[in-house]
């Protein structure tokens, strides 16, 4: 299973959207500062995830979410 996910920084309130096969391992990487784009927002909290059967589907959904980031559709996702 592949996942598309949204993280929120407890430090600065920013969001990060990504996709991965191993969600738990990826969250640990984000919180250990091993990801250049998220190391300044540690700690990160998982606020939304969606499961997909293929990597391509998860990747497509990641970019769909990034396109409407901070719009109404994004607000509905993070409000759940």
């Amino acid at each position: 299973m592949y996942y598309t996910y949204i993280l929120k920084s407890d430090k600065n309130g920013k969001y990060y959207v990504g996709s991965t096969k191993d969600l738990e391992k990826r969250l640990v990487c984000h919180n250990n500062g091993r990801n250049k784009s998220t190391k300044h927002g540690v700690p990160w909290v998982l606020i939304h995830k969606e499961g997909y059967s293929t990597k391509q589907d998860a990747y497509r959904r990641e970019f769909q979410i990034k396109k409407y980031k901070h719009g109404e559709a994004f607000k509905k996702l993070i409000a759940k």
Side-chain angles (χ1 to χ4, degrees), residues 60-77:
R60 268 186 236 141
R61 180 63 171 150
E62 173 187 348
F63 280 94
Q64 181 184 33
I65 292 171
K66 284 179 177 179
K67 281 182 182 180
Y68 56 67
K69 195 170 179 182
H70 302 296
E72 285 302 313
F74 185 80
K75 290 175 184 175
K76 286 180 185 178
L77 279 177

Side-chain angles (χ1 to χ4, degrees), residues 2-80:
Y2 294 87
Y3 298 93
T4 299
Y5 60 93
I6 302 173
L7 303 177
K8 183 176 182 181
S9 169
D10 273 351
K11 182 178 180 180
N12 59 25
K14 293 187 178 186
Y15 295 97
Y16 178 83
V17 180
S19 59
T20 186
K21 183 171 184 165
D22 188 341
L23 190 55
E24 288 181 29
K25 182 179 176 183
R26 190 71 177 125
L27 186 56
V28 169
C29 288
H30 284 297
N31 281 319
N32 285 339
R34 289 191 262 166
N35 185 304
K36 186 178 179 180
S37 61
T38 59
K39 69 180 179 179
H40 298 292
V42 174
W44 291 91
V45 177
L46 179 68
I47 61 166
H48 180 79
K49 69 178 180 178
E50 299 174 2
Y52 295 93
S53 58
T54 68
K55 183 178 182 177
Q56 293 164 324
D57 288 342
Y59 196 65
R60 268 186 236 141
R61 180 63 171 150
E62 173 187 348
F63 280 94
Q64 181 184 33
I65 292 171
K66 284 179 177 179
K67 281 182 182 180
Y68 56 67
K69 195 170 179 182
H70 302 296
E72 285 302 313
F74 185 80
K75 290 175 184 175
K76 286 180 185 178
L77 279 177
I78 62 174
K80 290 181 181 178

